[in-house]
């Protein structure tokens, strides 16, 4: 029997190396969180306020809304200046609607339910506005949400 998503990849790129993850989405979520916390970018200090919460929300959104039949896989990139989360698939609502919050239209309802049951998502449409608010509270500027086409991809930096 052929595996359903054999060409799909989960990648985490840090300052010094890139890892292609082999495992399930839940494990990838925690792998990325551990890499964020252990990053040399923080110079042994704890994460700045709001960074982990924004990252958790963004990563859950990235995994829940990915088009797993799309090209390119999921990519998480952590640099000294930015965190970028990319996934295949375009937005299912306008970015303006996503930024205003209160609406949820997940691509993968099963994943949404799973993430909600384990406390990693609330399915209330508060993810993107919460990420923006947390980032701005930390005086780190305004995140950018980009959508590209052919192939369809969404990126949050």
């Amino acid at each position: 029997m052929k595996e359903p998503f054999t060409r799909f990849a989960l990648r985490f790129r840090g300052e010094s190396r890139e890892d292609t993850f082999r495992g399930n989405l839940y494990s990838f979520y925690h792998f990325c969180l551990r890499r964020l916390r252990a990053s040399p970018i923080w110079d042994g200090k704890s994460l700045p306020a709001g960074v982990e919460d924004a990252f958790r929300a963004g990563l859950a959104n990235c995994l829940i809304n990915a088009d797993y039949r799309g090209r390119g896989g999921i990519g998480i990139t952590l640099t000294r200046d930015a965190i970028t989360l990319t996934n295949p698939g375009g937005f299912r609502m306008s970015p303006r609607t996503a930024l205003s919050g209160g609406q949820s239209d997940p691509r993968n309802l099963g994943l949404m339910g799973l993430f909600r049951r384990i406390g990693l998502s609330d399915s209330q449409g508060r993810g993107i506005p919460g990420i923006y608010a947390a980032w701005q509270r930390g005086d780190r500027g305004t995140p950018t949400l980009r959508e590209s086409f052919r192939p369809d991809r969404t990126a949050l930096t």
Side-chain angles (χ1 to χ4, degrees):
M1 185 161 126
K2 187 175 179 182
E3 291 186 41
F5 304 113
T6 56
R7 295 186 309 151
F8 198 84
L10 302 169
R11 293 186 182 90
F12 186 98
R13 178 179 298 136
E15 287 282 303
S16 59
R17 71 178 212 232
E18 179 177 329
D19 291 314
T20 298
F21 187 80
R22 307 270 186 242
N24 64 50
L25 295 178
Y26 178 79
S27 296
F28 180 69
Y29 177 92
H30 286 287
F31 169 81
C32 290
L33 204 51
R34 284 191 306 275
R35 291 288 305 272
L36 175 73
R37 290 174 180 151
S39 173
I41 292 169
W42 315 119
D43 298 322
K45 301 174 193 162
S46 61
L47 292 171
V51 168
E52 185 171 327
D53 290 340
F55 183 75
R56 284 174 174 268
L59 183 55
N61 264 352
C62 186
L63 296 172
I64 289 167
N65 291 297
D67 176 358
Y68 288 94
R69 296 191 191 284
R71 297 190 326 221
I74 292 176
I76 311 302
T77 304
L78 175 65
T79 67
R80 195 163 289 285
D81 300 321
I83 299 171
T84 302
L85 303 102
T86 62
N87 63 276
F91 249 64
R92 292 169 51 97
M93 63 180 71
S94 76
R96 180 181 293 185
T97 300
L99 287 169
S100 64
Q103 292 185 36
S104 180
D105 185 17
R107 179 170 275 116
N108 301 295
L109 289 171
L111 282 176
M112 171 65 86
L114 179 89
F115 274 64
R116 187 178 57 244
R117 280 187 211 98
I118 57 178
L120 301 179
S121 175
D122 65 10
S123 71
Q124 300 295 312
R126 295 185 289 211
I128 299 294
I131 292 166
Y132 273 62
W135 214 251
Q136 290 170 331
R137 266 193 313 275
D139 200 28
R140 285 178 287 281
T142 302
T144 58
L145 183 59
R146 290 183 325 274
E147 191 174 23
S148 57
F149 304 97
R150 294 192 177 163
D152 293 354
R153 290 197 66 77
T154 301
L156 175 64
T157 301

